[in-house]
Amino acid sequence: MFQNFMDFMLNDFFVTGDPLILGAQVSIALASVAVVFVLTYFKKWRWLWTEWLTTVDHKKIGIMYIIASILMLFRGGVDALLIRTQLALPNLEFLHADHYNAIFTTHGVIMILFMAMPLMFGLFNIVVPLQIGARDVAYPFLNSLSFWLFFFGAMLFNVSFVIGGSPDAGWLAYPPLSELSGSPGVGQDFYIWGIQISGIGSLASGINFVVTILKMRAPGMKLMQMPMFTWSVLSSSVTIMFAFPILTVTLFLLFIDRYLGAHFFTLDGGGNPMMYINLIWMWGHPEVYIVILPAFGIFSEIVSTFSKKKLFGYKSMVFALMSISFFSFFTWAHHFFTMGSGANVNAFFAVTTMLIAIPTGVKIFNWLFTMFRGRITFSQPMLWTVAFIPCFIVGGMTGVMLSVAPADFQFHNSYFLIAHFHQVLIGGVVFGYFAGLYYWWPKMFGFKLHDGIGKWVFWLWNIGFYVCFMPQYALGLMGMTRRFNEYNFDMGWQPLNVVSTIGGFIMGLAFLFQVWQIAHSIKFFKKETSGDAWDGRTLEWSIPSPAPMYNFARVPVVTSQDEWWEEKQRIANGGKPKPLAPLEPIHMPKNSAIPFIMSVFFFIAGFGFVWGWTWMIVPGLLGVAICMIARSFSYDTDFYIPVDEIERTEAAALKGAN
């Protein structure tokens, strides 16, 4: 019995035999010991529990999302560098084929679902309630649960790297590679349950922010007076509500295939793999717009602020955002023009794909016209915004090229597609969220990030990006296809692959500079005392930085689109400030441990499903049910902040500003 247990642990449970994975296991162990030591040595366990693990404060939840996304950026970035190292030279044996497939799979999943999505939700949490004059989101408890479901789903997926083995069927897990016949190990089950658990959190967040925006705006704030970032969050969240249930059902059907021997996607049992591909892209292409739409909102805020002008074409921007959200559900089949759907189907999806480029182009012109004759200040957020515009134009143009069905027969599955995808996702999403981080960083933490190091970060990221991905367009046109881990000397692809790999490592260096920038800014802390770090236009800049627990001592009354800017201009022109309403006790939600505990039980159940361990599945699901029941009988869930405490907090903020 003991021998069988040891054989299982060494041969099936823990991943052994690969030096890179052994190094990861050692690193994880050392990092875990270091974290435990630091928390114990500085006696911070109670602080961690009361201030962070059980918090329902949307600002702290946003910060935790951002920290998690930076960690995932590191993990996904290391995967990318391993891929580029393997492809730098012909017939290189740096990664064997199975390990390459696993890294190829985990890189895509981590970057989209566990890096871009939490970074997006982090900015949602930090900014939206402040922009609409609310004191929290609509459902604070659900907001906390959403984060912890994401976190433990991500951990369940990532643990496969050292336990059980990573999934290796590609980041979208096409059958039959993802069926038991193609992936008999547990890696694909880690994929399914990691994404399922985090996906529940993403769907809940989408619902939460739709309700928050529609029902919790400050008095007087009409829909057409909302800041553009809030509009972009609304369009993205509505898309989440319709897209993520498709992902949940699709992965559940795949799980039924693997766990119960069904044949939804297996040809030999009467199923159809193309049904899976249709379903996964019905979610997958809206997902691209889910993460890019908030970036459009960020750029709109930044362009307006640093051009000292009202956003040009506000109504057309709103229409563009919402129309992109709508049309994103009618473009999925352009991912498989080559699958033989027929000329009529291909023509329809080619037209819809071209059509969605129109509102995207509208936004580019709106930003340019906002900057036209503006008093532009090239601070760090504005640098990222200006760099985005030409980058995204190239990404959009190559996207239109891919939308032409006959041309796509040549581009499909080639490195041309890889270059386009990263042009849009890095040049649009990552650069956009970096711009948002630099813009709202003073609001989160009360200090700006170091400007000099920030310029190094900016140029290294941008130079590395173009050096890495521009050669890949040429490689695609030369016939280099994706998903292969090696190529022969006579292909002629080596020089451009070497250049591309150098670009990848430059971006890796940029990330290290970014970490240095954050560490340097924390060490040489310079408090931003005004609360209005960039002379902003929207309500979040009207309160102290970082924002107090209750956000607004008095709920603002909104009368115009750029309420804070209009108020500052009116006072500068000799007008009197608005009369202040008397302070009243503020109703706030209490912290709760249930979201964290429930998510731990979700993790336990998911881990049990991965291995088929009923003895773990049952207590995991039972724990989830008990947490739900406990929540339903929780009545002491809120409290009031008394007026004297509000006065002390506001006085301290005013003293700091002076």
Side-chain angles (χ1 to χ4, degrees):
M1 179 71 73
F2 178 75
Q3 185 62 43
N4 291 338
F5 174 75
M6 291 304 297
D7 288 342
F8 167 75
M9 295 298 287
L10 294 176
N11 297 326
D12 296 318
F13 192 76
F14 288 110
V15 180
T16 58
D18 190 307
L20 290 173
I21 296 178
L22 177 61
Q25 290 169 332
V26 172
S27 300
I28 291 170
L30 291 176
S32 301
V33 170
V35 169
V36 171
F37 173 78
V38 169
L39 290 172
T40 304
Y41 182 81
F42 290 102
K43 300 179 181 178
K44 290 294 185 180
W45 286 105
R46 186 178 184 84
W47 165 83
L48 180 67
W49 178 257
T50 57
E51 294 293 323
W52 295 96
L53 299 186
T54 61
T55 187
V56 296
D57 185 340
H58 68 94
K59 299 177 289 296
K60 290 183 177 179
I61 290 171
I63 291 170
M64 289 193 292
Y65 267 121
I66 289 170
I67 292 171
S69 72
I70 292 173
L71 293 174
M72 290 297 101
L73 177 59
F74 172 74
R75 164 71 205 277
V78 170
D79 283 349
L81 295 182
L82 292 173
I83 292 170
R84 286 311 323 159
T85 301
Q86 171 64 26
L87 294 173
L89 300 173
N91 297 320
L92 195 63
E93 296 184 1
F94 175 65
L95 298 174
H96 59 78
D98 289 341
H99 194 180
Y100 179 88
N101 289 341
I103 289 175
F104 169 87
T105 300
T106 56
H107 168 71
V109 175
I110 287 170
M111 286 305 207
I112 295 293
L113 291 171
F114 301 139
M115 189 282 287
M117 290 291 285
L119 191 49
M120 176 184 82
F121 284 131
L123 293 173
F124 283 14
N125 270 280
I126 287 159
V127 178
V128 170
L130 301 183
Q131 281 201 333
I132 64 174
R135 288 188 168 128
D136 211 317
V137 295
Y139 308 113
F141 176 91
L142 185 64
N143 197 30
S144 176
L145 180 61
S146 297
F147 169 74
W148 289 114
L149 285 173
F150 148 75
F151 180 81
F152 281 104
M155 290 303 101
L156 183 61
F157 179 87
N158 276 275
V159 79
S160 67
F161 186 55
V162 293
I163 295 176
S166 297
D168 57 3
W171 78 277
L172 286 174
Y174 285 2
L177 287 176
S178 56
E179 296 281 359
L180 274 177
S181 59
S183 298
V186 296
Q188 197 58 43
D189 299 297
F190 274 114
Y191 173 99
I192 290 170
W193 287 103
I195 294 176
Q196 285 288 53
I197 293 171
S198 66
I200 296 170
S202 297
L203 177 59
S205 288
I207 295 169
N208 206 344
F209 280 98
V210 168
V211 177
T212 300
I213 293 168
L214 294 182
K215 302 297 290 183
M216 297 190 67
R217 300 190 306 279
M221 181 180 282
K222 300 174 183 177
L223 282 173
M224 295 307 290
Q225 291 176 334
M226 292 195 309
M228 196 51 62
F229 179 69
T230 300
W231 265 113
S232 72
V233 173
L234 179 62
S235 62
S236 178
S237 297
V238 168
T239 311
I240 287 171
M241 288 172 57
F242 287 98
F244 266 79
I246 303 173
L247 176 66
T248 301
V249 170
T250 305
L251 292 182
F252 184 72
L253 293 176
L254 180 61
F255 170 72
I256 294 297
D257 270 13
R258 293 177 58 86
Y259 198 70
L260 297 179
H263 296 283
F264 291 107
F265 309 127
T266 53
L267 283 172
D268 58 350
N272 189 348
M274 274 305 299
M275 182 168 73
Y276 178 94
I277 295 172
N278 271 280
L279 288 170
I280 202 70
W281 280 116
M282 284 181 187
W283 160 79
H285 205 80
E287 167 65 13
V288 174
Y289 293 105
I290 285 169
V291 293
I292 193 68
L293 285 168
F296 294 155
I298 291 168
F299 293 132
S300 299
E301 299 288 342
I302 290 172
V303 165
S304 180
T305 297
F306 291 99
S307 298
K308 298 291 187 289
K309 285 177 62 181
K310 191 179 288 288
L311 184 68
F312 180 88
Y314 177 92
K315 291 182 179 179
S316 65
M317 288 287 280
V318 172
F319 177 77
L321 290 170
M322 299 310 292
S323 61
I324 288 172
S325 175
F326 176 77
F327 282 114
S328 69
F329 288 95
F330 298 94
T331 59
W332 81 86
H334 71 219
H335 289 274
F336 40 93
F337 280 146
T338 62
M339 293 291 189
S341 301
N344 291 335
V345 172
N346 282 1
F348 173 82
F349 284 96
V351 170
T352 55
T353 304
M354 295 176 194
L355 192 62
I356 207 168
I358 296 173
T360 305
V362 166
K363 293 192 295 298
I364 298 289
F365 282 105
N366 284 355
W367 294 324
L368 292 175
F369 280 121
T370 303
M371 287 188 277
F372 181 64
R373 291 183 175 175
R375 291 173 290 158
I376 300 175
T377 305
F378 286 101
S379 297
Q380 288 181 75
M382 191 63 174
L383 283 176
W384 288 98
T385 303
V386 171
F388 153 81
I389 292 176
C391 184
F392 199 75
I393 289 173
V394 173
M397 290 169 58
T398 53
V400 172
M401 292 171 67
L402 288 161
S403 74
V404 181
D408 187 66
F409 274 69
Q410 302 302 316
F411 302 139
H412 188 77
N413 219 34
S414 75
Y415 260 71
F416 187 94
L417 176 60
I418 296 293
H420 158 74
F421 186 75
H422 285 85
Q423 184 101 37
V424 175
L425 267 294
I426 294 180
V429 175
V430 178
F431 286 6
Y433 292 167
F434 282 173
L437 275 180
Y438 285 110
Y439 183 57
W440 283 300
W441 189 276
K443 185 54 57 181
M444 287 188 276
F445 300 108
F447 64 93
K448 291 181 181 179
L449 289 171
H450 189 272
D451 191 62
I453 304 174
K455 287 184 170 61
W456 276 95
V457 171
F458 170 79
W459 286 111
L460 285 170
W461 263 109
N462 277 271
I463 292 170
F465 169 80
Y466 284 104
V467 172
C468 183
F469 293 107
M470 290 300 107
Q472 293 183 15
Y473 284 113
L475 284 167
L477 296 176
M478 292 167 66
M480 183 173 175
T481 54
R482 53 187 177 145
R483 298 193 178 96
F484 287 98
N485 70 312
E486 59 182 37
Y487 54 92
N488 293 326
F489 282 91
D490 57 0
M491 294 294 188
W493 300 338
Q494 178 184 340
L496 290 176
N497 270 302
V498 170
V499 173
S500 182
T501 299
I502 291 171
F505 276 91
I506 293 174
M507 285 191 286
L509 183 62
F511 176 79
L512 295 179
F513 267 74
Q514 227 160 2
V515 174
W516 174 33
Q517 181 187 22
I518 293 171
H520 183 278
S521 302
I522 293 172
K523 183 177 180 180
F524 300 99
F525 176 86
K526 292 183 179 179
K527 183 169 177 59
E528 200 290 306
T529 57
S530 69
D532 191 2
W534 309 111
D535 194 16
R537 309 179 71 86
T538 44
L539 288 176
E540 72 267 31
W541 303 111
S542 67
I543 58 177
S545 298
M549 178 198 303
Y550 48 78
N551 295 347
F552 297 90
R554 300 171 179 86
V555 175
V557 177
V558 175
T559 57
S560 59
Q561 180 186 320
D562 292 335
E563 177 64 26
W564 176 235
W565 178 262
E566 297 294 339
E567 175 73 2
K568 289 189 293 185
Q569 294 301 108
R570 194 172 61 79
I571 294 172
N573 292 330
K576 293 183 178 180
K578 288 182 180 179
L580 296 177
L583 290 173
E584 297 179 353
I586 296 175
H587 178 254
M588 295 296 293
K590 282 185 177 180
N591 287 356
S592 174
I594 294 177
F596 179 82
I597 296 170
M598 187 189 298
S599 300
V600 170
F601 279 118
F602 264 108
F603 179 91
I604 293 169
F607 198 83
F609 275 117
V610 166
W611 292 96
W613 292 343
T614 307
W615 60 268
M616 185 176 280
I617 296 170
V618 172
L621 294 179
L622 187 62
V624 171
I626 291 171
C627 287
M628 290 180 176
I629 294 169
R631 173 61 182 175
S632 68
F633 286 99
S634 298
Y635 300 108
D636 185 20
T637 59
D638 47 20
F639 69 102
Y640 281 89
I641 302 176
V643 171
D644 58 343
E645 184 177 337
I646 301 169
E647 289 175 340
R648 286 195 301 271
T649 304
E650 294 296 303
L654 184 63
K655 183 179 179 181
N658 295 330

